[in-house]
């Protein structure tokens, strides 16, 4: 028997845990701990533990598929490439858009944006980061000059106060949750701000159960209380920041008095007061936040408020502190770093900057898309649905917008308006079903590459088995397609490492990295030179703004886009559970995970259930202005009265049938988190 252990990193969440794949007779059969990995020290959550189960599932795509008369027919790679090339050549650059993926490697993503810009010459390249964390990038860039998580994962255990807002850390980033437990053991106090009494909230010393969408109000209220009591860090404010007076003008307004904030947020004044005191008086306070802050039209405001309160209390640039935006997917940081965004090349070099444009055109040795930002993912879907004919072809790698984008009917309408859709995935997803051509991709265990976790750590994937059937690594598909389209000179790579060499060459943050240097535990960017060991904590001496000072950027609280009314009387919010990831293409094909949580539900407070006459487990009808679904009720005190919650993983009760597609004008992120909902009993016999 031939058994090997191949070290790799987890394909699920942005924590980026390391583990070994157990390979027996050339097939992956298990996961074994990798004790020395600095992120997780050998520990894993259930998704990591069972990350091998979907790999050899019978549903894996093994051959290209071409749709003929409404049905998929297996095809050769040659025929698939020819069809795609012929079709793409028939469209103008602005008629094509590409969606890259937070789930695939840096090498895969880098080549997709290069293929979009250098072969298709289209500026329209984006990915789901615009559904997830754009407000982090925009909000933190305004205050600190840079948008990444400031400290490292291990550093969280050094905090004396951990303030968690809009992150269900214990379910969504469980191995970061472990650091919170370690901090507690070291004497830290934990404060959780959430509308639901989540697994995370249950670990906290102080739980502020508030109304969704009132984050800015609570943060401004806490800042007023801190300033009133003189708890602000005067030395830090003086030495490292500017515009403190502007902050005071806003947060000292009567609207943000404790009494008012209590009314807006539904949290007792005493709890807000105590939170402000615990926060400001601790030696080191860290903030953890995630998408419930960012996936709202008011997302940038909340992120700015978080940055403001950390500067006010001097909790930046030192151990146990920081603004720790927990990025969601395994490689969402990397997909952004690689330039899979409509406004930047890799390393956040602006496409509209003529110097950056020339640098990339020279490096790639060809003409590239004009230097103006293209459409974001939400704009792409809106244009498809509402302006038929403007965009004609779409190439999606590793995303499943039918289940994951808000307002599914709107997404479906958009995809149906396309003349030509290519989907490159490892499974025939709900979105792939709409494609004209489906290309079978190799999964994380079947290819070499790198991915970048939430603490900016670039780590390796190592090939452990061959892909099933004729499936190929995503980066390889782009090389072959580029060749078919006559652009082989710009895509000369023989392996993933050669792609990484080019990434390092053109991407300042990655310049000092090589595959050899990434062994064994990865490197955190910025790593500008070959002798740099990377950067665990950002902004230790100065911020990344032009003058090095942090800029207080006060914001006023604004209500969510759609608030409850007589017809839709409850606040609706959505999210994830520990056993499943997103549209569930992988977790629902992992026997153990699927067995734990086989379908969805809606969480309803007992008082609301009583007034609606609904019992636990009863199937109910849930509707919004967009659509309706039928789903079992979970009656639980863990959710605030007046608020309803659904996980969004399940196609049979898809939460995004209900959500609203409104955009933040600044960041183009959508409001997949909050809208107004109605819940009804289904009459017997109906
Ligand atoms: N198991 C699992 N882990 C995951 C994922 C997954 O699908 N499954 N997805 C990954 C990805 S891509 C992401 S982006 C992250 C998401 O990570 P999180 O954002 O932590 O997860 P969510 O469940 O989306 O929501 C977090 C919490 O915000 C609360 N909340 C709802 N509305 C509001 C509000 O208005 N304000 C505040 N402050 N809180 C609110 C919800 O009740 C919920 O408890 O998780 C990553 N990890
Ligand atoms: N209502 C609601 N909607 C949400 C959210 C929410 O909390 N509530 N969360 C949002 C968030 S935070 C995010 S990040 C998005 C996620 O949105 P998506 O990224 O669309 O969701 P996934 O299900 O992760 O889709 C990834 C696809 O990639 C495929 N895949 C995996 N590995 C590979 C590979 O190596 N190569 C290729 N080619 N394909 C691969 C998978 O099979 C899957 O089909 O959803 C968003 N939607
Ligand atoms: S915490 Fe995230 S990265 Fe770690 S094992 Fe779980 S899903 Fe994978
Ligand atoms: Mo995400």
């Amino acid at each position: 028997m031939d058994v090997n252990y191949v070290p790799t990193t987890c394909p699920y969440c942005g924590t980026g845990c390391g583990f070994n794949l157990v390979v027996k007779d050339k097939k992956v059969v298990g996961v074994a701990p990798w004790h020395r990995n600095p992120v997780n020290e050998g520990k894993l959550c259930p998704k990591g533990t069972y990350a091998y189960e979907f790999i050899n599932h019978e549903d894996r795509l093994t051959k290209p598929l071409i749709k003929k008369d409404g049905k998929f027919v297996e095809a050769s790679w040659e025929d698939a490439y020819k069809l795609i090339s012929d079709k793409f050549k028939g469209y103008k650059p602005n008629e094509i858009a590409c969606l890259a993926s937070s789930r695939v490697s840096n090498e895969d993503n880098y080549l997709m944006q290069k293929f979009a810009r250098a072969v298709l010459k289209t500026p329209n390249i984006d990915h789901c980061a615009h559904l997830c964390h754009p407000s982090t990038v925009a909000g933190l860039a305004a205050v600190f000059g840079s948008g990444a998580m400031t400290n490292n994962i291990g550093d969280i255990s050094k905090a004396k106060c951990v303030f968690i807002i809009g992150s269900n850390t214990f379910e969504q980033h469980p191995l970061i949750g472990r650091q919170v437990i370690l901090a507690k053991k070291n004497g830290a106090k934990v404060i959780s701000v959430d509308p639901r009494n989540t697994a995370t909230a249950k670990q906290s010393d102080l739980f502020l159960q508030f109304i969704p969408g009132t984050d800015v109000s609570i943060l401004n209220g806490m800042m007023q209380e801190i300033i009133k009591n003189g708890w602000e860090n005067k030395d830090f404010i003086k030495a490292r920041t500017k515009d403190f007076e502007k902050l005071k003008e806003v947060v000292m307004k009567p609207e943000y008095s404790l009494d008012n904030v209590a009314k807006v947020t539904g949290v007792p004044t005493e709890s807000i007061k105590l939170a402000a005191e615990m926060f400001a008086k601790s030696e080191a306070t860290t903030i953890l936040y995630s998408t419930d802050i960012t996936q709202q039209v008011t997302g940038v405001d909340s992120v700015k408020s978080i940055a403001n309160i950390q500067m006010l209390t001097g909790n930046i640039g030192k151990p146990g502190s920081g603004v720790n935006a927990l990025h969601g997917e395994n490689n969402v940081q990397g997909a952004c770093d690689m330039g899979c965004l409509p406004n930047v090349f890799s390393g956040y070099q602006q496409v509209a900057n003529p110097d950056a444009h020339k640098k990339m055109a020279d490096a790639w040795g060809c003409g590239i898309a004009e230097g103006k930002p293209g459409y974001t993912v939400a704009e792409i879907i809106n244009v498809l649905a509402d302006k038929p004919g403007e965009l004609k072809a779409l190439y999606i790698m590793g995303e499943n917008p039918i289940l994951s984008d808000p307002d599914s009917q709107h997404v479906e309408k958009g995809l149906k308006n396309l003349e030509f859709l290519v989907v490159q995935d490892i499974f025939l997803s709900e979105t792939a079903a709409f494609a004209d051509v489906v290309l079978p991709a190799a999964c994380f265990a079947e290819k070499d590459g790198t991915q970048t976790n939430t603490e900016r750590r670039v780590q390796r994937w190592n090939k452990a088995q061959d892909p099933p059937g004729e499936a190929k690594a995503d980066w390889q598909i782009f090389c072959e397609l580029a060749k078919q389209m006559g652009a082989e000179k710009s895509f000369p790579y023989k392996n993933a490492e050669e792609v990484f060499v080019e990434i390092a060459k053109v991407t300042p943050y990655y310049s000092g990295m090589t595959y050899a240097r990434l062994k064994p535990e990865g490197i955190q960017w910025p790593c500008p030179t070959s002798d740099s060991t990377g950067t665990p904590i950002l902004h230790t001496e100065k911020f990344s703004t032009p003058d090095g000072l942090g800029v207080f950027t006060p914001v006023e609280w604004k209500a969510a886009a759609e608030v409850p009314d007589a017809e839709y009387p409850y606040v609706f919010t959505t999210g994830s559970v520990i056993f499943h990831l997103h549209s569930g293409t992988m977790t629902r094909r992992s026997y153990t995970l699927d067995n734990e949580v086989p379908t969805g539900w809606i969480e309803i407070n007992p008082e609301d259930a009583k007034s609606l006459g609904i019992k636990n487990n009863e199937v109910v009808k849930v509707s919004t202005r967009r659509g309706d679904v039928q789903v079992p009720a979970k009656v639980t005190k863990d959710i605030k009265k007046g608020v309803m919650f659904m996980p969004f993983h399940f196609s049979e009760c898809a939460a995004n049938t209900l959500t609203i597609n409104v955009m933040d004008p600044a960041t183009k992120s959508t409001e997949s988190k909050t809208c107004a909902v109605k819940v009804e009993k289904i009459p017997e016999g109906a």
Side-chain angles (χ1 to χ4, degrees), residues 158-172:
K158 301 193 183 109
K160 292 295 164 211
C161 175
V162 183
F163 186 81
I164 307 178
I165 181 161
S167 155
N168 183 3
T169 321
F170 284 78
E171 285 202 71
Q172 315 305 341

Side-chain angles (χ1 to χ4, degrees), residues 126-149 289-290 293-295 299-304 307 323 325-327 332-337 340-344 347-350 509 525 539 544 664 666-667 669:
D126 197 17
H127 73 288
C128 74
H130 263 114
L131 301 176
C132 188
H133 263 293
S135 21
T136 292
V137 177
L140 291 188
V143 185
F144 300 156
S146 134
M149 174 166 168
Y289 76 90
S290 193
I293 284 286
T294 56
Q295 280 173 10
V300 186
D301 291 350
S302 305
V303 172
K304 285 178 181 165
V323 172
L326 305 182
H327 288 270
V332 66
Q333 182 69 54
C336 294
D337 296 349
C340 291
L341 295 170
N343 57 334
V344 289
Y348 306 95
Q349 305 172 86
Q350 299 286 330
Y509 293 134
W525 65 252
H539 316 306
S544 314
D664 174 352
T667 63
S669 68

Side-chain angles (χ1 to χ4, degrees), residues 13 47 132-133 165-169 171-173 193-196 198 210-215 290-293 295-296 326-329 573-582 645 648-649 673-674:
C13 91
K47 284 185 303 309
C132 188
H133 263 293
I165 181 161
S167 155
N168 183 3
T169 321
E171 285 202 71
Q172 315 305 341
H173 295 89
V193 187
D194 202 298
R196 297 189 304 136
T198 59
F210 78 146
I211 297 166
T214 61
D215 304 73
S290 193
T291 49
D292 271 301
I293 284 286
Q295 280 173 10
Q296 311 208 0
L326 305 182
H327 288 270
E329 298 187 288
T573 180
T574 58
S576 310
V577 296
I578 192 167
F579 295 103
H580 288 291
L581 190 101
H582 304 157
F645 169 88
F648 80 105
H649 314 293
K673 285 301 186 187
T674 315

Side-chain angles (χ1 to χ4, degrees), residues 110-162:
Y110 177 80
L111 286 199
M112 183 177 222
Q113 60 90 37
K114 181 169 176 178
F115 181 79
R117 290 175 167 136
V119 183
L120 303 176
K121 319 260 190 227
T122 176
N124 302 321
I125 165 88
D126 197 17
H127 73 288
C128 74
H130 263 114
L131 301 176
C132 188
H133 263 293
S135 21
T136 292
V137 177
L140 291 188
V143 185
F144 300 156
S146 134
M149 174 166 168
T150 61
N151 289 43
N152 59 336
I153 291 173
D155 181 73
I156 294 165
S157 66
K158 301 193 183 109
K160 292 295 164 211
C161 175
V162 183

Side-chain angles (χ1 to χ4, degrees), residues 55-114:
I55 297 173
N56 291 310
H57 194 282
E58 59 183 9
D59 291 349
R60 282 292 301 275
L61 290 168
T62 56
K63 280 190 127 240
L65 304 173
I66 294 179
K67 200 175 265 167
K68 290 197 176 126
D69 302 326
K71 283 215 171 80
F72 283 122
V73 182
E74 289 190 352
S76 66
W77 278 101
E78 215 182 344
D79 288 349
Y81 286 147
K82 184 156 186 326
L83 177 63
I84 296 170
S85 164
D86 289 351
K87 284 281 186 184
F88 280 165
K89 281 182 179 166
Y91 298 118
K92 298 194 195 86
N94 287 337
E95 292 174 341
I96 313 175
C98 295
L99 293 180
S101 171
S102 308
R103 311 296 312 283
V104 310
S105 71
N106 288 326
E107 291 75 359
D108 298 331
N109 275 312
Y110 177 80
L111 286 199
M112 183 177 222
Q113 60 90 37
K114 181 169 176 178

